[in-house]
Amino acid sequence: MRARSLLYILLGAVLILFPQLKNQYILNLGVQVLIFALFATSFNLLLGYTGMLSFGHAMFFGFGAYGMALFLEKTSFHFGLALLLTLGITVFFSLIIGFFCVRLGGAYFAMLTLAFSQLIFAIAFKWRELTGGDDGMPAHVAQGQSFLPGLGLDISNPANYYYFTLLVVVASVFIIRNIVNSRFGLTIQAIRENQERTAFLGLNPFVIRWIIFIISGFFGSLSGALFAPFKGFISPDVLSLGISGEALYITLIGGMSSFLGPFLGAIIMIFMTNLLSSFTRYWLIVVGCVFVAFVLFIPQGIMGIITREEGRGGSLAKEIRKWASLRFKA
Amino acid sequence: MEFSNLLVQFLHGIVYAMLLFMVSSGLTLVFGMLGVLNFAHGSLYMIGAYIGLSTVLLTQNFWVSLIVAPILVALLGGFLETTFLKKTYTRGHVHQLMLTYGLAYILDELTKIIWGTESHSIDVPPILQASINILGNAYPVYRLAIIVAGGLLALGVWLLLKKTRLGMIIRAAVFSTDLVKFLGFNQPLLFRGVFAFGAALAALGGVFASPLITTYPGMGADIIIDAFIVVIVGGLGSLPGALLGSLLIGQVMSLGILFLPRFALVFSYVLMAIILIVRPTGILGEKE
């Protein structure tokens, strides 16, 4: 347990002191890490805790990003109101989309979520008058605007936006953590382990999966809503399969079924893609190798290594030996 | 809309369906038996096309490439299975997905390093360069040849699975891999064989596709999602399902472009969504 609490303290200190570096580039990476950590955490609510693999999680990110962009650019609504409306609309759509998706199992669920996210991608791509199509659209916070009317924090300032994002992300993760540890949270984990038995206990897996789909969509959309004003510009890329994939890799690299996992995963992914692409043309090979290495040698993710002393997960050397013996025996 | 145009577009749809079937038949077999959703399958199709390209440049003979490419890609597939996938069979779909996605990244980039980033075209073999007249439209014989080849391939794979002892073992393994292992069959070899066979089929598709759509980096990524849709629409693990799914997706895409070009992007997704809402495990899929 010591390693983990030390990690929490270290992470907390880094997160709070971050903007004091006064480095715009690193600050931007920090905001991205936070946003994608929240995005992956919302995804992990489905995958890690309920056992539902989605290929379409980008649709929520896109709802949030396009919702914010549209309200900020096409109306004179305040930032807080825009956020509220965006999240409300997301809940409405996840209610409908979830109804169709959650009845399906395994790969079928994954592919139906992909279908819906691609449909929404196509709408954003084709509806030029509203979204600007593939040219994208701006998403700016008005100068001097605060998060809530009357609150002093000017979020058009990058450092303040960082703190605002940090606040929202930490609060969200805290809420998600409470959901997972609640009675309902135990129920979704029961569904992950054995859906049939959960049904025999008199619970309705359909309704529970539906609810968790909506909750996951809510927080996924929140991360997208933070992303749009941060970038100041969005395009249909926010709805692409690549974004859905990002959620999966961050979760697996960090470690499923843990809360610190997505944060560590997001740090690795964001820094890896940002730094590698400036070093070498063939950075995708490195990314591919990292994926392969994680699956083969660190299947529990970074959190698996950290919590090894608690008796979960095997040692790295052992994993490599196991792989080698399998490989060369054949 | 003239009927003859419709017919031509319909034939185009069948041609694309046959290419899709070559990719998705391997995909569905590998899923049925190994339980792996193989994202790298599109890369194998692309590498097949590139090996075909090099073979044609070397020997000036299209037919040789139809033999060389599947064999080499089958070897590559067997290597990938034993080196990487073998260890993940107990880990579940999610890890395998990330693994095959990583492999797809690596294979795609290596392809760019070896063959460059430009697109290349292969000439249609001389015997098939003619066109025939279909209701006043000149239709290339090569496309008809793909339809015939796809049909023969589907028949061949079906006969292999239904009428041979090996096919019976494979079908049994799709039903229960443990059972087959306990009956004393060499399960690792069977897995490697099926994976390599699927890879060979994809490579064949790649070689056939090259004269039509050229060989380019990204051709794997372009077909893999369609192939996944085919496999899901038809029902995971079902070979007749893959054929049916291919024909459906082929038609929806080619007739869709004719009637509603603005929305061509989403036809296959709409079809998949409708089918999954009506039949949650695909048209011919078993209930989970």
Side-chain angles (χ1 to χ4, degrees):
Chain A
M1 210 55 220
R2 255 183 61 234
R4 196 193 286 216
S5 38
L6 201 70
L7 202 71
Y8 271 116
I9 294 167
L10 205 72
L11 196 70
V14 168
L15 286 174
I16 289 171
L17 294 176
F18 216 65
Q20 306 310 322
L21 287 174
K22 305 276 182 215
N23 181 327
Q24 189 63 43
Y25 177 69
I26 295 199
L27 190 67
N28 279 347
L29 290 185
V31 177
Q32 275 184 55
V33 166
L34 287 172
I35 289 172
F36 279 96
L38 176 59
F39 184 56
T41 305
S42 73
F43 174 81
N44 197 20
L45 206 48
L46 284 181
L47 178 69
Y49 291 96
T50 327
M52 295 156 79
L53 170 64
S54 163
F55 285 168
H57 210 60
M59 71 177 136
F60 300 123
F61 197 76
F63 277 144
Y66 269 101
M68 281 312 270
L70 288 170
F71 282 123
L72 289 178
E73 295 296 323
K74 310 264 163 170
T75 69
S76 54
F77 290 166
H78 190 273
F79 185 89
L81 182 61
L83 186 61
L84 214 62
L85 287 172
T86 298
L87 293 173
I89 290 169
T90 305
V91 169
F92 175 74
F93 279 113
S94 0
L95 203 75
I96 298 170
I97 295 171
F99 175 80
F100 293 111
C101 290
V102 300
R103 296 180 310 135
L104 275 56
Y108 295 101
F109 169 79
M111 290 300 280
L112 190 55
T113 55
L114 173 68
F116 276 110
S117 81
Q118 289 298 106
L119 291 182
I120 294 156
F121 174 88
I123 293 171
F125 194 84
K126 286 286 174 189
W127 198 348
R128 286 201 152 268
E129 301 77 32
L130 189 71
T131 64
D134 54 340
D135 294 338
M137 67 179 297
H140 287 297
V141 187
Q143 269 303 317
Q145 194 163 55
S146 65
F147 158 53
L148 282 172
L151 210 74
L153 194 70
D154 168 16
I155 52 174
S156 63
N157 167 321
N160 282 348
Y161 198 82
Y162 171 85
Y163 282 119
F164 169 66
T165 306
L166 182 64
L167 188 77
V168 173
V169 171
V170 168
S172 302
V173 172
F174 181 73
I175 294 169
I176 295 175
R177 195 187 172 126
N178 276 322
I179 293 173
V180 167
N181 291 334
S182 70
R183 239 182 102 91
F184 179 73
L186 292 177
T187 318
I188 60 171
Q189 291 171 64
I191 285 182
R192 177 189 65 197
E193 296 306 325
N194 193 328
Q195 181 161 331
E196 220 166 25
R197 282 195 192 177
T198 318
F200 288 154
L201 289 173
L203 297 158
N204 186 340
F206 169 75
V207 173
I208 294 164
R209 283 162 62 102
W210 196 10
I211 295 173
I212 202 71
F213 186 85
I214 295 165
I215 296 176
S216 166
F218 178 89
F219 287 107
S221 169
L222 186 56
S223 64
L226 290 170
F227 182 79
F230 155 70
K231 273 276 170 191
F233 168 84
I234 55 164
S235 71
D237 284 348
V238 294
L239 284 155
S240 67
L241 183 56
I243 294 282
S244 298
E246 203 106 322
L248 178 66
Y249 314 137
I250 290 175
T251 306
L252 286 186
I253 286 177
M256 266 197 280
S257 312
S258 73
F259 281 95
L260 218 44
F263 278 87
L264 298 174
I267 291 172
I268 292 177
M269 275 301 278
I270 298 286
F271 279 80
M272 188 167 71
T273 47
N274 276 284
L275 294 181
L276 276 180
S277 54
S278 58
F279 276 131
T280 160
R281 251 172 71 208
Y282 303 113
W283 63 283
L284 277 175
I285 289 196
V286 183
V287 175
C289 290
V290 169
F291 287 178
V292 171
F294 261 90
V295 173
L296 291 180
F297 309 130
I298 322 174
Q300 313 292 329
I302 305 277
M303 282 310 286
I305 302 180
I306 291 168
T307 55
R308 199 168 54 225
E309 58 196 87
E310 292 165 40
R312 284 188 277 147
S315 85
L316 189 57
K318 216 173 86 194
E319 292 288 337
I320 294 176
R321 267 203 305 279
K322 235 163 69 189
W323 174 76
S325 71
L326 259 174
R327 169 75 190 98
F328 298 115
K329 217 165 56 191
Chain B
M1 180 69 48
E2 272 185 54
F3 177 71
S4 64
N5 286 350
L6 203 66
L7 186 69
V8 164
Q9 205 64 16
F10 176 76
L11 286 174
H12 281 348
I14 296 186
V15 172
Y16 186 54
M18 290 301 125
L19 295 179
L20 270 179
F21 176 72
M22 292 180 201
V23 178
S24 57
S25 53
L27 204 58
T28 209
L29 272 181
V30 165
F31 180 85
M33 195 152 137
L34 286 62
V36 175
L37 286 167
N38 182 15
F39 249 105
H41 206 66
S43 308
L44 296 172
Y45 158 86
M46 177 180 65
I47 290 171
Y50 272 107
I51 292 177
L53 172 80
S54 292
T55 314
V56 169
L57 289 179
L58 216 66
T59 64
Q60 307 300 329
N61 190 333
F62 180 78
W63 307 103
V64 177
S65 71
L66 275 182
I67 298 164
V68 173
I71 291 175
L72 290 182
V73 174
L75 291 175
L76 174 66
F79 167 78
L80 293 178
E81 198 274 338
T82 33
T83 313
F84 299 109
L85 282 164
K86 197 176 186 182
K87 201 197 165 195
T88 65
Y89 291 137
T90 52
R91 292 252 161 83
H93 299 325
V94 181
H95 280 97
Q96 289 160 353
L97 204 69
M98 176 149 146
L99 179 78
T100 58
Y101 211 96
L103 290 176
Y105 271 157
I106 297 172
L107 292 175
D108 287 1
E109 290 298 303
L110 286 178
T111 306
K112 277 187 211 159
I113 293 173
I114 297 172
W115 281 285
T117 52
E118 317 83 48
S119 65
H120 303 268
S121 59
I122 302 182
D123 283 337
V124 173
I127 313 173
L128 302 175
Q129 271 172 357
S131 325
I132 59 164
N133 190 334
I134 295 180
L135 298 178
N137 287 310
Y139 200 81
V141 171
Y142 181 69
R143 285 177 179 264
L144 296 176
I146 291 182
I147 298 179
V148 173
L152 287 177
L153 194 78
L155 188 71
V157 177
W158 183 79
L159 285 176
L160 174 76
L161 285 180
K162 288 282 176 185
K163 300 290 175 192
T164 66
R165 190 177 148 76
L166 178 67
M168 200 165 67
I169 299 168
I170 292 174
R171 278 185 296 139
V174 169
F175 182 72
S176 165
T177 44
D178 281 344
L179 204 66
V180 168
K181 191 166 72 184
F182 297 148
L183 284 172
F185 294 105
N186 187 343
Q187 183 233 29
L189 185 68
L190 199 63
F191 275 23
R192 201 187 317 162
V194 166
F195 197 89
F197 181 62
L201 290 178
L204 207 59
V207 177
F208 272 118
S210 294
L212 288 185
I213 58 167
T214 76
T215 310
Y216 60 96
M219 65 187 285
D222 282 352
I223 204 164
I224 187 68
I225 297 293
D226 282 348
F228 266 118
I229 294 176
V230 161
V231 165
I232 288 288
V233 162
L236 278 166
S238 159
L239 199 74
L243 183 61
L244 195 63
S246 300
L247 290 169
L248 270 173
I249 296 294
Q251 284 317 318
V252 161
M253 293 186 88
S254 90
L255 293 181
I257 287 171
L258 194 63
F259 292 111
L260 285 166
R262 219 173 112 85
F263 298 98
L265 211 60
V266 294
F267 288 127
S268 48
Y269 291 106
V270 172
L271 179 78
M272 175 168 74
I274 293 170
I275 285 175
L276 284 182
I277 287 167
V278 178
R279 278 192 66 92
T281 52
I283 301 174
L284 297 177
E286 307 259 322
K287 219 171 170 316
E288 288 192 344

